[in-house]
């Protein structure tokens, strides 16, 4: 038998081995966890991934640089253009392409719109895992508006292939800024409802407070990032630590919580949505309505030999990419550092000792997306 | 926490939840009754690809193979031969495997003559995947059926009732093109 699977311990008859997934509706995709159960308590947990493996990194070695952008979209399919940015930034650095100020701001606006969309999907599915159905319907309603705004400009809803070297592919739709401002007004009203339904609900309190506590030291040692890390009390955010695009121009805070439990991770994501609304409000005012949307980029993208690592803070944490160029028009190696993949490493830590029903709440608070984890 | 407090908390939570649900009941539904109401898609929306011919039925495509080179999924196959009379090339074969196409519209960006365009026809479900392996006749038929299409070079184009192709008015053009097409005095004001 392989070392990956759980074997029954000789002489222990009280432990039951249960296979959760890969088709379980609460695993947010195709995660399979083999659990050792002692009554309701989880004694051992071994996660298995790879059911959605599509060989992204190897395919990208055989594609030219502009073609790779279309493939990066397919990793974290919930947060659209956020995946394109690290690769685009890395290649821009290698080639020394100047990005116009307006293009940077448009990119940042799309980035934050997709953060809102992604957190809305998380909120709906997390509440679905806890047994509430109506928040799911309401969050997808609001996400529909975001995807409509994106489709008007970029032509697609989830996989827009919109960023390009030196800026964005085409100028925004004339209604873009007005639509976004209207949506932010709508979203601020809706956030009050979501606070009532999610953060203030006694059912959510009972299911999440004190469940799946991740200590600060353990979080740093396991290399988690994003809202999961910030809920454990570490104020690390790539947007502040290594600013990119238009983030130096806008004011925002990094919400952190010292508790590290499932409720803290819910709370941090909520506060991030408020910060996204705040950033978008500033950018609607700051972005010039007309101007260049794309800088001068060479027709054939051939970065000089060398390598470059760039990271961005996407909805789940630090999404990085290492691009190695050998001077040809195809990358020698593209290595993605997935945020959801790194966050999934704490699943055995958090599951052991928890009750079986709590494992569902813990998993949904990590917000895994399997397109990115399995790549 | 006493029992009374717990009961009060539960009643309050149910009350807030029901109040929120009640508020939403009277809002307009975000969904559409799809087969009866067709969604109003923006002109840039990438739903399918088509190969546009000129008004006189001649080929717009100049067989430069730019789309074949740009395609990330490598689903475009083109074969050509040199035109015996005159210059340029003639098409022997122009296939797009719409099953494996990922609708990134990189081919549309690359086309120098706006021959390959994106259209809004999304109703492509079929029982047999082989029917979506599009050849040149399929792609021409898609373009003949389409009322409007989009390409970055020419913007949105419309097909009129009598079969002519004309450029859409500026207010229908998305993005920077609308700014370009506006009369000069409007931009200044």
């Amino acid at each position: 038998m392989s070392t990956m699977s759980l074997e029954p311990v000789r002489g222990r008859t009280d432990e039951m081995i249960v296979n959760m997934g890969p088709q379980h509706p609460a695993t947010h995709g195709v995660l399979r966890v083999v659990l050792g159960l002692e009554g309701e308590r989880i004694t051992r947990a071994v996660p298995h991934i790879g059911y959605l493996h599509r060989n992204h990194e190897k395919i990208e070695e055989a594609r030219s640089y502009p073609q790779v952008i279309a493939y990066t979209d397919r990793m974290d399919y919930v947060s659209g253009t956020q995946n394109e940015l690290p690769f685009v930034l890395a290649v821009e650095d290698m080639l020394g392409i100047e990005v116009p100020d307006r293009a940077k701001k448009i990119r940042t606006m799309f980035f934050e719109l997709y953060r809102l969309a992604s957190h809305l999907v998380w909120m709906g599915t997390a509440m679905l895992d806890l047994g509430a159905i109506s928040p799911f319907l309401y969050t997808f309603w609001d996400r529909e508006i975001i995807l409509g705004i994106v489709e008007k400009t970029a032509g697609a809803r989830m996989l827009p292939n919109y960023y390009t070297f030196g800026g964005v592919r085409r100028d925004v739709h004339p209604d873009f800024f007005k639509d976004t401002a209207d949506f932010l007004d709508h979203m601020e009203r809706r956030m009050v409802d979501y606070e009532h339904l999610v953060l203030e609900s006694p059912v959510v309190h009972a299911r999440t407070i004190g469940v799946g506590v991740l200590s600060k030291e353990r979080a740093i040692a396991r290399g988690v990032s994003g809202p999961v890390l910030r809920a454990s009390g570490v104020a690390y955010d790539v947007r502040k630590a290594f600013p990119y695009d238009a983030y130096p121009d806008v004011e925002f805070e990094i919400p952190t919580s010292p508790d590290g439990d499932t409720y803290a991770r819910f709370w941090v994501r909520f506060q991030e949505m408020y910060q996204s609304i705040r950033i978008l409000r500033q950018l609607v005012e700051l972005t010039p309505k007309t101007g260049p949307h794309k800088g001068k980029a060479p027709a054939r993208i051939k970065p000089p030999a060398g390598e470059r690592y760039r990271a961005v803070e996407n909805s789940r944490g630090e999404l990085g990419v290492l691009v190695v160029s050998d001077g040809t028009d195809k990358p020698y190696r593209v290595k993605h550092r997935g945020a959801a993949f790194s966050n999934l490493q704490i699943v055995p830590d958090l599951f052991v000792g928890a009750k079986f029903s709590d494992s569902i709440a813990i998993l949904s608070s990590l917000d895994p997306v399997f397109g990115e984890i399995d790549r | 926490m006493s029992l009374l407090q717990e009961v009060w908390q539960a009643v309050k939570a149910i009350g807030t939840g029901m109040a929120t649900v009640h508020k939403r009941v009277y809002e307009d539904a975000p969904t559409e009754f799809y087969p009866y109401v067709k969604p109003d898609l923006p002109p840039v929306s990438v739903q399918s690809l088509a190969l546009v011919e000129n008004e006189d039925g001649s080929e717009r495509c100049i067989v430069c193979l730019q789309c074949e080179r740009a395609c990330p999924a490598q689903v475009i196959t083109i074969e050509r031969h040199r035109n015996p009379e005159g210059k340029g090339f003639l098409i022997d074969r122009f296939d797009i495997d719409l099953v494996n196409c990922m609708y990134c519209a990189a081919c549309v960006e690359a086309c120098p003559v706006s021959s390959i365009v994106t259209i809004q026809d999304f109703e492509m479900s079929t029982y047999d995947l082989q029917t979506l392996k599009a050849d040149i006749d399929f792609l021409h038929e898609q373009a003949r059926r389409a009322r409007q299409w989009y390409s970055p070079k020419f913007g949105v184009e419309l097909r009129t009732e009598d079969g002519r192709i004309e450029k859409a008015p500026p207010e229908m053009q998305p993005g920077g093109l609308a700014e370009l097409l506006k009369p000069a005095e409007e931009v200044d004001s």
Side-chain angles (χ1 to χ4, degrees):
Chain A
M1 280 183 80
S2 86
T3 50
M4 287 284 285
S5 66
L6 275 183
E7 289 172 49
V9 183
R10 268 183 84 86
R12 266 188 80 175
T13 51
D14 52 347
E15 191 190 53
M16 189 161 72
I17 290 171
V18 171
N19 190 30
M20 185 169 101
Q23 308 297 340
H24 194 283
T27 53
H28 292 249
V30 283
L31 173 66
R32 170 176 166 228
V33 192
V34 184
L35 298 168
L37 290 177
E38 219 179 83
E40 272 289 296
R41 295 265 162 210
I42 296 170
T43 50
R44 297 185 288 171
V46 180
H48 294 244
I49 59 168
Y51 290 92
L52 204 59
H53 182 56
R54 289 150 298 160
N55 215 344
H56 263 284
E57 290 177 3
K58 196 67 191 170
I59 290 173
E60 282 161 10
E61 287 172 19
R63 297 289 183 270
S64 69
Y65 284 91
Q67 289 177 345
V68 171
I69 301 175
Y71 275 95
T72 53
D73 260 350
R74 269 84 186 155
M75 286 203 310
D76 184 350
Y77 43 77
V78 183
S79 40
T81 58
Q82 292 188 346
N83 302 288
E84 300 164 13
L85 195 55
F87 182 78
V88 168
L89 285 174
V91 175
E92 277 170 2
D93 276 7
M94 290 165 103
L95 281 164
I97 297 173
E98 285 287 322
V99 185
D101 191 48
R102 180 164 181 268
K104 283 184 177 178
K105 292 202 164 82
I106 292 171
R107 274 190 195 174
T108 312
M109 285 186 77
F110 272 79
F111 204 87
E112 290 300 321
L113 278 174
Y114 267 114
R115 188 188 307 279
L116 275 174
S118 170
H119 281 352
L120 282 170
V121 171
W122 158 79
M123 194 200 299
T125 50
M127 291 305 286
L128 205 59
D129 292 346
L130 297 183
I133 292 173
S134 32
F136 175 76
L137 304 173
Y138 300 153
T139 54
F140 271 64
W141 181 335
D142 293 346
R143 175 173 176 261
E144 201 71 11
I145 303 171
I146 300 181
L147 297 184
I149 293 172
V150 172
E151 190 188 19
K152 251 183 168 175
T153 291
R157 296 153 64 80
M158 285 170 74
L159 311 164
N161 190 16
Y162 184 54
Y163 295 171
T164 185
F165 306 118
V168 291
R169 234 165 239 277
R170 63 177 77 110
D171 206 344
V172 292
H173 194 276
D175 296 344
F176 175 69
F177 296 103
K178 191 181 157 293
D179 285 351
T180 311
D182 289 350
F183 168 72
L184 293 176
D185 293 341
H186 167 88
M187 195 63 206
E188 270 173 0
R189 285 197 302 277
R190 288 293 168 100
M191 285 305 282
V192 180
D193 288 352
Y194 293 140
E195 288 246 338
H196 287 318
L197 286 177
V198 180
L199 281 191
E200 292 167 13
S201 164
V203 180
V204 173
H205 289 182
R207 288 293 302 275
T208 57
I209 289 178
V211 170
V213 179
L214 177 65
S215 70
K216 195 173 176 175
E217 293 73 30
R218 198 72 195 139
I220 295 169
R222 279 288 189 181
V224 304
S225 58
V228 183
L229 181 66
R230 291 194 281 277
S232 294
V234 186
Y236 172 70
D237 191 320
V238 184
R239 288 177 289 174
K240 285 272 192 208
F242 307 99
Y244 52 91
D245 274 1
Y247 284 110
D249 306 339
V250 291
E251 282 176 22
F252 63 100
E253 282 151 24
I254 308 174
T256 57
S257 166
D259 304 337
D261 60 357
T262 304
Y263 185 78
R265 292 191 276 276
F266 277 37
W267 184 86
V268 165
R269 285 212 175 82
F270 251 86
Q271 302 309 312
E272 275 198 2
M273 289 171 77
Y274 282 120
Q275 295 302 327
S276 281
I277 292 173
R278 191 174 155 195
I279 293 170
L280 280 168
R281 278 235 183 272
Q282 294 175 48
L283 283 172
V284 167
E285 296 300 318
L286 279 174
T287 313
K289 299 294 173 281
T290 52
H293 64 278
K294 197 178 166 195
K296 254 187 122 53
R300 281 180 76 79
I301 305 286
K302 267 189 178 181
E307 60 180 65
R308 184 85 185 133
Y309 176 80
R310 280 306 289 264
V312 299
E313 181 80 18
N314 88 336
S315 322
R316 282 160 194 83
E318 180 176 340
L319 179 74
V321 67
L322 175 77
V323 183
V324 183
S325 167
D326 55 356
T328 59
D329 62 346
K330 288 171 184 170
Y332 180 74
R333 176 89 169 91
V334 182
K335 167 81 180 84
H336 295 286
R337 187 249 185 237
F341 176 74
S342 302
N343 289 356
L344 199 75
Q345 309 306 312
I346 51 168
V347 159
D349 289 12
L350 294 185
F351 273 24
V352 171
K355 281 184 185 150
F356 179 68
S357 53
D358 286 344
S359 71
I360 303 293
I362 293 168
L363 192 65
S364 66
S365 76
L366 299 179
D367 194 14
V369 165
F370 278 81
E372 190 221 66
I373 289 165
D374 294 340
R375 287 200 275 283
Chain B
M1 203 189 287
S2 75
L3 183 68
L4 264 177
Q5 266 178 319
E6 275 185 30
V7 170
W8 168 238
Q9 283 246 318
V11 170
K12 210 174 102 183
I14 292 169
T16 1
M18 293 314 283
T20 313
V21 172
H22 188 259
K23 216 162 39 175
R24 304 281 170 112
V25 167
Y26 299 103
E27 286 187 28
D28 288 336
T31 48
E32 287 152 342
F33 289 93
Y34 158 60
Y36 311 107
V37 182
K38 293 279 162 71
D40 187 19
L41 293 170
V44 290
S45 187
V46 185
Q47 303 298 337
S48 188
L49 300 170
L51 203 60
V52 177
E53 291 165 301
N54 286 326
E55 284 172 21
D56 55 357
S58 61
E59 198 67 60
R60 229 191 220 191
C61 177
I62 55 169
V63 214
C64 62
L65 309 187
Q66 290 287 337
C67 48
E68 195 181 21
R69 285 196 203 103
C71 181
Q74 301 181 346
V75 294
I76 303 180
T77 315
I78 302 172
E79 283 169 15
R80 62 179 184 183
H81 67 269
R82 204 166 267 288
N83 191 354
E85 58 236 33
K87 54 181 181 174
F89 294 92
L90 295 175
I91 306 178
D92 289 332
R93 179 179 169 204
F94 194 113
D95 291 356
I96 301 181
D97 182 358
L98 290 177
V99 181
N100 291 325
C101 173
M102 48 195 211
Y103 302 97
C104 62
C107 49
V108 182
E109 300 274 335
C111 185
V113 291
S114 287
S115 171
I116 185 163
V117 295
T118 57
I119 55 173
Q120 279 79 52
D121 180 14
F122 57 90
E123 290 162 323
M124 302 210 300
S125 54
T126 167
Y127 284 108
D128 184 5
L129 285 184
Q130 296 302 316
T131 57
L132 287 178
K133 308 231 172 199
D135 59 359
I136 189 159
D137 297 332
F138 185 104
L139 293 167
H140 280 159
E141 185 56 35
Q142 294 246 71
R144 275 185 220 118
R145 279 211 325 249
R147 296 264 71 89
Q148 64 169 39
W149 54 81
Y150 174 79
S151 61
K153 293 270 178 336
F154 286 9
V156 182
E157 287 176 300
L158 303 172
R159 190 185 293 282
T160 53
E161 290 300 321
D162 49 341
R164 285 184 301 109
I165 296 170
E166 58 183 38
K167 204 166 214 166
E171 60 269 16
M172 277 183 72
Q173 303 285 359
L177 218 53
E179 298 298 325
L180 270 177
L181 293 169
K182 264 184 196 165
E185 63 274 8
E186 252 184 77
V187 175
D188 291 336
S189 62

